[in-house]
Amino acid sequence: MNGGQTKCFREKFRLRRAAGMYWLLDIEQPGIPYERPVALNRTGAFICEMMENGAGAAEIAEAMSEAYGITVPEARDDLEQFVRQLDICDFLPE
């Protein structure tokens, strides 16, 4: 992930934990209509934390592979699906 994509994620989203859950907030929304934060599971939060810290797709996939005991190609597929579902700033695995 290049610096522009990291900046895009940081400018658009904030990851927060509240009430025992992880939430992804779109901080660029105008407020009307209000868009609710997206509830994330621990894996989604793991990915977003790494993105907030500037990690690229390859680094995230490797970390997911280690953390969850899956192959790197499986992790890349999961990562790709996650970012497509959330439409995160043109972030695509390198």
Side-chain angles (χ1 to χ4, degrees):
M1 181 160 103
N2 68 33
Q5 291 169 319
T6 300
K7 182 179 177 186
C8 182
F9 181 83
R10 289 180 185 162
E11 288 177 357
K12 183 165 176 59
F13 297 104
R14 291 292 183 276
L15 179 65
R16 297 290 183 255
R17 185 169 183 176
M21 294 184 65
Y22 295 94
W23 301 93
L24 189 62
L25 290 75
D26 180 348
I27 60 171
E28 285 188 339
Q29 68 172 304
I32 299 175
Y34 174 72
E35 293 183 30
R36 297 181 62 158
V38 176
L40 299 175
N41 63 18
R42 179 64 192 124
T43 303
F46 179 88
I47 292 168
C48 288
E49 287 170 348
M50 292 197 71
M51 290 175 73
E52 282 182 337
N53 291 320
E59 185 180 351
I60 294 170
E62 185 66 39
M64 289 173 64
S65 173
E66 288 180 28
Y68 300 108
I70 59 177
T71 67
V72 172
E74 289 172 317
R76 281 176 144 329
D77 288 345
D78 290 348
L79 175 60
E80 222 173 287
Q81 181 180 5
F82 177 77
V83 296
R84 283 192 181 126
Q85 285 176 342
L86 293 180
D87 191 25
I88 300 175
C89 303
D90 300 326
F91 178 90
L92 292 175
E94 49 266 331

